Amino acid sequence: MKRVFNFLAMFRRERQPGDLVFAVAFFVIALAAAAVLPQEASFTAGKQLVAQPGFWPAVGVAMMVLFGLAHLVSTVNAPRLPGRLKEVMAWGRSLEFVAWFVAYVTVMPVVGYLPATLILSVTLGIRLGYRSPRAIFASAGFAVAVVLVFRAGLGVRIPAGDLYDLLPPAIRSFAIMNL
């Protein structure tokens, strides 16, 4: 019996819902990284190849492109399963928390570290379904504890918010140093 080699059969595997979306997105990101690599990683004259500053980033990006392409080929070759939209929507729901963090980082320079942390903690707690007064106070207490740990305990210096400029001078200096 003669066996015929089929290149695509070598990449056949079981596919999960959303695999195609992930494979295409990963491959596009890998190609984008490869496109900007010459501007981001440098190669200097007179050094060995492995001692070049851009060598290992180039190896990493090349592996991303190679394995991203292999994953894309194997995904395209696999039978389609239902549920792609449901899977992608589940991924999309997690992006909500990225938006919460971006909003927190955007609001912090305006209102300050303590008020921004309080706002984030309480509103995120309410968003997650913790609406009782006890849960809201626990969220606020958590925010205060986080600020105390980072500012007083670890000595992390975060720039004061623009809102602090409106405070009286004595309270303003205390707020800048501790809140």
Side-chain angles (χ1 to χ4, degrees), residues 23-40:
V24 169
F26 186 85
F27 189 61
V28 166
I29 290 169
L31 288 177
V36 299
L37 186 66
Q39 291 85 27
E40 297 296 326

Side-chain angles (χ1 to χ4, degrees), residues 44-48 52:
T44 56
K47 286 188 173 182
Q48 292 181 332
Q52 295 288 338

Side-chain angles (χ1 to χ4, degrees), residues 118 121-123 125-126 130-143:
L118 277 167
S121 182
V122 171
T123 55
I126 291 169
Y130 300 103
R131 293 181 175 90
S132 71
R134 183 176 178 184
I136 292 172
F137 282 121
S139 295
F142 173 76

